[in-house]
């Protein structure tokens, strides 16, 4: 496998190969030459001999010979001298190591033998530092020869020895090497990032400046490639300041370039004129810093990014032409295909308007170089650039071909990641490319007025397929691809080790839940928690990949009922930073009778509108009505107008800012009824997952409901608990969260309602509503899992979000987190999370909301009812009780929630009290059926209920309008 070359491969010059930074002074064995002004003189061979005779065991005595060998005329003589010394002193590992350094100056391959000898000598002498340094340099030699397996083995050995040495700085250095191996060779960005995080505390506790530079240099690249742009910016600001304070021009140049590169990445995500101007300022700073270094590779990189940010005024065009000419000349001087490729694709984009043929020629040349280089990242970038050029210069099908190949390359990068979260993070950086391809495909059908080059049906089918490739991929893999594939890595030993780590996690979190833990004790516990979390993630089975089972548009159409429509949203930008179409925003309205597509306002406009609407809903004064009508018109108006009159249920596949939107509260007119008065509603992560749930075999009647309500964590402190008004909290205060008396009443009500069904409830409240009770229950027969409790949502660390239960045993902490939820082995159950924000959380582009509800899908649930925002305890209890009364009649989950929400509106409650509760997943799931009573069958009862709901929906709008005014 080809390895990438950049400065992070090179180790600190303790005893490593960094020849580019050594300076030439007085040389040996010839007569002294004048040194450059201000530079120290190198020692002579005679001086090195004298030092060695005086202090033969000192590593500095051996290093003297390397310093002497910096001048080419001296190297052969020094090499012979060192070879003789090594033979006379077979136990002197430092002599063998320095001989490797000297050999490396002229022949890297020749350096292997002395490095190998040094490593073995140090191992025999149990000199950890020597073996680590020798192994690090040997790894570099092996990678240069393409011997990646041997390099990986030496990396493992280096980490093992350094870890056992008990020396923090040595351990940190080895971890940085391990991260470099993971990133550069295995391209596993997620694991590299976690390894670097393990090293961070060691580096910045008492590490030297050189070690800090090395760490920050590698971390800057890894975090940027992983899409953690804010973290990467912070790292590079620290690196730039450290480099400036130590007068390290090379590293400062690198940091300035990375800051400019990150600005362009942010600009791709949020294209604004202000962002472009800021990116150009940073690019010019990077170019100035690169010129100061004299390093032509840095100059070439900075030239390219400056050109990319220049505009189209005559002055900027002239400047861009001059800089591009320099860029190409330097790339040829460096004989670097990587630099040629970058300069070519940048020139291609700028030539599009003035020289289409030349732009195509440049783009094709860049693509050929990317294919030859076999780096999947550069190939994906080159294909993206080729597609952009084709879109502006050639027939649209040619642009579609290259854009689709770019997605193939991006997904190949995704497959290199060893854990699901890293896969999702990496793919999130390519979301714009999916929007671009889907939008261009719809344009090809004539949807935007452009001449049609694809039949309309083919364009719809292909655009839908692109949207499915984008959505909730790791969840789809977890539920579908892994079913038939075993993981060879998930051995009993690894499972046992992971179990031990999980037990330690529980112990640490129990300490953190102790309110008396303060100051340094809490900080120490948090650091321990972070280390354990990273270790636990590394021990998880790697994602298991099969052939992706994406549903086709035709299969969705055939699978929908006559009363259903699926609305798949694609929310992209209209244009990208180059002024090229970025695909725009669309909604595909799919029914059993066919599919229609409608254009939407672009992402930035929808972000603003959705944020405004949600804020107005929180005010509880009807001030949101105008915004509700405006959003309805923008998102749903044309799509709903084209639906068959038989449609009664909408399956909404959101994207971007629509994930947190309370669709139920949208309305056609400010004085009209809300959307839920007309339709049952459900949110689904993707059509492929909807098909997966819908096609699952029906379960036999029966089973039970498990209800946990108002957990009481005060097992050993029978103190009165404060009453909470909202079901909310923060992690560090979980132990002090108030009681939820309405949740307890809710639990009893659910138990009473389900007593008349084929799914009776088993209720746990207070200290019995525990994590232990949940985990120890055989969930295979559970049809409904109801949790009425506090929830903690951590947007910065989604995997720390949790439902707060009672512990129930010393082995549990009561903090039920996603990694634990995913192992509950639910089998098609309905899960009701009567807890704050259980359907919300960090929105990862493409993957969707990293919520607590999502974890229950991983556990096997088919339908989850959860909340988008904090719920008042009394309002949540009343709404959920109504939901269960309707569910007990045998209707679907979405019908039951709709009925409950309509009743809440009839009582005059504002949308804040009912619109935040949503159905996720399979809306059609019937969780229970009623026992027959008085001759009335389930079907008859359900029919009567449905008729009543329709009547309520018809009269609701008139009653609301008649009341008018704001409510208190």
């Amino acid at each position: 496998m080809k390895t990438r070359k950049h400065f992070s491969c090179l180790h600190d010059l303790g005893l490593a190969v960094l020849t580019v930074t050594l300076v030439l002074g007085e040389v040996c064995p010839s007569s002294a030459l004048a040194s450059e002004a201000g530079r120290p003189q190198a020692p002579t061979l005679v001086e090195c001999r004298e030092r060695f005779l005086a202090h033969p065991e000192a590593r500095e005595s051996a290093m003297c010979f390397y310093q002497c060998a910096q001048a080419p005329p001296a190297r052969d003589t020094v090499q012979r001298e060192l070879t003789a010394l090594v033979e006379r002193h077979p136990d002197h590992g430092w002599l063998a190591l320095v001989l490797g350094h000297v050999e490396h100056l002229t022949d890297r391959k020749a350096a292997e033998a002395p490095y190998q000898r040094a490593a073995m000598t140090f191992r025999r002498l149990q000199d950890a530092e020597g073996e680590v340094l020798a192994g690090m340099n040997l790894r570099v030699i092996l990678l240069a020869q393409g011997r990646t397996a041997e390099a990986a083995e030496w990396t493992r050995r280096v980490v093992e020895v350094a870890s056992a040495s008990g020396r923090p700085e040595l351990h940190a250095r080895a971890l940085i090497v391990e991260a470099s191996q993971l990133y550069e060779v295995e391209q596993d960005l997620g694991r590299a990032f976690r390894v670097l995080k393990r090293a961070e505390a060691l580096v910045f506790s008492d590490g030297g400046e050189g070690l800090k530079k090395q760490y920050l240099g590698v971390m800057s690249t890894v975090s940027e490639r992983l899409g953690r742009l804010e973290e990467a910016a912070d790292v590079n600001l620290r690196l730039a300041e450290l480099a400036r304070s130590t007068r390290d021009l090379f590293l400062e140049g690198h940091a300035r370039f990375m800051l400019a590169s990150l600005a362009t990445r942010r600009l791709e995500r949020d294209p604004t004129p202000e962002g472009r101007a800021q990116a150009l300022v940073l690019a010019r700073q990077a170019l100035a810093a690169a010129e100061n270094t004299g390093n032509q590779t840095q100059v070439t990189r900075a030239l390219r990014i400056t050109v990319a940010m220049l505009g189209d005024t005559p002055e900027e065009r002239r400047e861009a032409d001059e800089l591009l000419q320099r860029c190409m000349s330097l790339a040829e001087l460096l004989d670097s295909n990587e630099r040629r490729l970058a300069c070519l694709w940048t020139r291609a984009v700028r030539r599009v308007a003035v020289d289409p043929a030349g732009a195509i020629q440049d783009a094709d040349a860049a693509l050929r170089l990317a294919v030859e280089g076999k780096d999947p990242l550069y190939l994906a970038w080159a294909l993206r650039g080729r597609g952009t050029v084709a879109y502006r210069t050639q027939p649209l099908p040619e642009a579609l071909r290259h854009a689709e190949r770019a997605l193939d390359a991006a997904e190949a990068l995704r497959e290199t990641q060893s854990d699901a979260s890293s896969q999702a993070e990496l793919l999130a950086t390519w979301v714009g490319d999916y929007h671009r391809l889907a939008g261009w495909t719809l344009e090809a059908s004539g949807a935007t007025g452009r001449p049609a080059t694809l039949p309309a049906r083919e364009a719809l089918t292909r655009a839908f397929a692109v949207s499915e490739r984008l959505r909730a991929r790791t969840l789809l893999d977890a539920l579908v691809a892994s079913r038939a594939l075993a993981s060879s890595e998930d051995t009993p030993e690894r499972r046992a080790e992971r179990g031990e780590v999980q037990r330690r996690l529980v112990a640490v979190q129990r300490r953190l839940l102790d309110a008396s833990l303060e100051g340094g004790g809490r900080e120490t516990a948090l650091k321990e928690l972070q280390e354990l979390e990273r270790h636990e993630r590394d021990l998880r089975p790697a994602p298991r990949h099969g052939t992706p089972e994406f549903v086709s548009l035709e299969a969705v159409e055939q699978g929908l009922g006559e009363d259903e429509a699926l609305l798949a949203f694609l929310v992209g930008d209209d244009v990208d930073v180059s002024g090229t179409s970025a695909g725009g925003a669309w909604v595909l309205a799919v029914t059993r009778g066919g599919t229609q597509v409608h254009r939407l306002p672009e992402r930035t406009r929808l972000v603003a509108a959705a944020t405004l609407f949600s804020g107005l809903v929180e005010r509880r004064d009807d001030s949101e009505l105008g915004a509700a009508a405006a959003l309805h018109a923008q998102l749903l108006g044309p799509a709903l107008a084209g639906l068959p009159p038989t449609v009664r249920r909408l399956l909404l596949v959101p994207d971007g800012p629509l994930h947190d939107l309370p669709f139920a509260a949208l309305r056609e007119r400010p004085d009209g009824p809300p959307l839920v008065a007309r339709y049952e509603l459900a949110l689904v992560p993707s059509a492929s997952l909807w098909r997966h749930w819908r096609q699952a075999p029906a379960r036999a009647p029966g089973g039970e409901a498990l209800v946990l309500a108002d957990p009481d964590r005060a097992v050993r402190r029978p103190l009165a608990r404060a009453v909470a008004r909202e079901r909310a909290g923060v992690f560090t205060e979980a132990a002090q969260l108030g009681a939820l008396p309405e949740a307890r009443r809710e639990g009893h009500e659910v138990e009473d309602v389900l007593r008349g069904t084929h799914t009776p409830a088993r209720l746990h409240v207070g200290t019995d509503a525990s994590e232990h009770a949940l985990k120890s229950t055989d969930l295979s027969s559970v049809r409904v899992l109801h949790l009425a409790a506090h929830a903690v949502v951590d947007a910065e660390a989604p995997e720390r979000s949790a439902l707060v239960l009672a512990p129930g045993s010393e082995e549990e902490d009561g903090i039920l987190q996603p990694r634990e939820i995913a192992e509950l082995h639910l089998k098609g159950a309905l899960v009701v999370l009567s807890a704050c924000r259980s359907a919300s959380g960090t929105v990862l582009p493409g993957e969707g909301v990293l919520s607590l509800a999502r974890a229950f899908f991983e556990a096997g649930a088919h339908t989850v009812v959860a909340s988008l925002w904090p719920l008042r305890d009394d309002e949540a209890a009343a709404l959920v009780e109504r939901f269960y009364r309707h569910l007990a009649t045998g209707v679907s989950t979405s019908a039951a929630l709709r009925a409950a929400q309509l009743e809440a509106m009839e009582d005059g409650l504002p949308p804040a009290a009912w619109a935040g509760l949503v159905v996720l997943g399979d809306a059609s799931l019937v969780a229970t059926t009623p026992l027959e009573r008085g001759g009335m069958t389930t079907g008859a009862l359900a029919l009567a209920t449905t008729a009543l709901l329709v009547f309520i929906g018809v009269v609701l709008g008139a009653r609301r309008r008649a009341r008018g005014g704001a409510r208190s």
Side-chain angles (χ1 to χ4, degrees), residues 210-491:
L211 185 61
K212 291 175 183 177
K213 292 177 187 177
Q214 189 180 354
Y215 169 84
L216 292 171
V218 181
M219 178 57 97
S220 74
T221 303
V222 171
S223 54
E224 186 264 342
R225 293 290 175 87
L226 197 53
R228 294 177 173 245
L229 304 188
E230 287 72 22
E231 184 156 1
D234 177 67
V235 166
N236 280 284
L237 284 170
R238 292 163 65 191
L239 181 60
E241 177 58 29
L242 180 59
R244 186 195 61 77
S245 66
T246 58
R247 300 182 182 180
D248 190 329
L249 297 180
F250 181 85
L251 278 184
E252 184 175 5
H254 171 81
R256 296 295 175 194
F257 169 78
M258 290 298 296
L259 288 168
S261 178
L262 290 165
T264 65
R265 293 280 302 277
R266 287 193 294 271
L267 190 61
E268 292 172 1
R269 189 173 60 188
D270 295 301
T272 63
E274 298 79 12
R276 186 180 188 118
Q278 178 62 22
L280 179 57
V281 168
L282 292 172
R284 292 191 188 282
Q285 291 176 357
L287 181 55
E291 299 280 15
N292 286 338
T293 69
N295 182 283
Q296 299 306 314
T297 297
Q298 284 201 7
V299 172
T300 308
R301 294 197 307 170
L303 285 168
R304 189 208 66 77
I305 203 168
T306 304
V307 170
M309 289 298 100
L310 286 169
D312 287 326
T313 66
E315 295 79 9
E316 288 176 300
R317 285 199 297 270
R318 282 194 296 272
E319 182 183 2
D321 289 342
E322 293 171 1
L323 296 182
L324 274 171
Q325 187 173 357
R326 275 193 73 194
C327 188
M328 294 301 304
S329 297
L330 286 175
E332 292 301 321
L333 179 65
L334 293 167
D335 193 22
S336 167
N337 283 346
E338 188 177 299
R339 295 298 99 222
R340 290 188 187 101
L341 185 159
C343 296
L344 279 167
W345 86 49
T346 303
R347 188 171 72 177
V349 173
R350 293 202 67 92
R351 294 175 77 176
V352 162
V354 295
D355 183 9
I360 294 171
Q361 183 178 358
D362 281 348
D364 283 338
L367 186 53
R368 283 194 298 272
L369 290 172
V371 171
E372 293 170 6
K374 299 180 180 179
D375 184 322
L377 179 62
Y378 274 86
L379 177 59
W381 283 344
L383 285 165
R384 173 195 285 171
R386 183 65 183 89
T388 298
V389 170
Y391 178 86
R392 298 174 65 178
T393 61
Q394 295 177 280
L396 195 47
E398 182 70 6
L400 297 182
R401 183 172 69 88
H402 292 297
E404 187 156 6
R405 289 179 64 199
L407 289 191
D408 291 340
E411 292 182 3
L413 278 171
R414 174 185 182 270
E415 298 302 301
T416 63
Q417 304 309 298
S418 63
D419 65 280
S421 60
S422 298
Q423 288 183 337
E425 283 185 281
L426 191 145
L427 203 62
T429 66
W430 292 88
V431 163
D433 293 78
Y434 288 86
H435 289 144
R436 180 182 296 110
L437 177 56
W440 288 1
T441 303
L442 294 170
E443 285 184 46
S445 71
T448 62
R450 185 168 178 157
T453 55
L454 280 180
R457 178 62 184 183
E458 180 183 350
L460 284 172
T461 300
R462 289 171 60 174
F464 184 83
V466 171
S467 77
E468 284 301 296
R469 290 174 66 178
L470 166 66
R471 303 181 195 273
R473 288 287 295 275
T474 62
L475 183 56
L476 182 65
D477 284 345
L479 297 183
V480 180
S482 64
R483 288 181 305 179
L485 298 174
S487 173
S488 60
E489 292 185 2
D490 195 20
T491 62

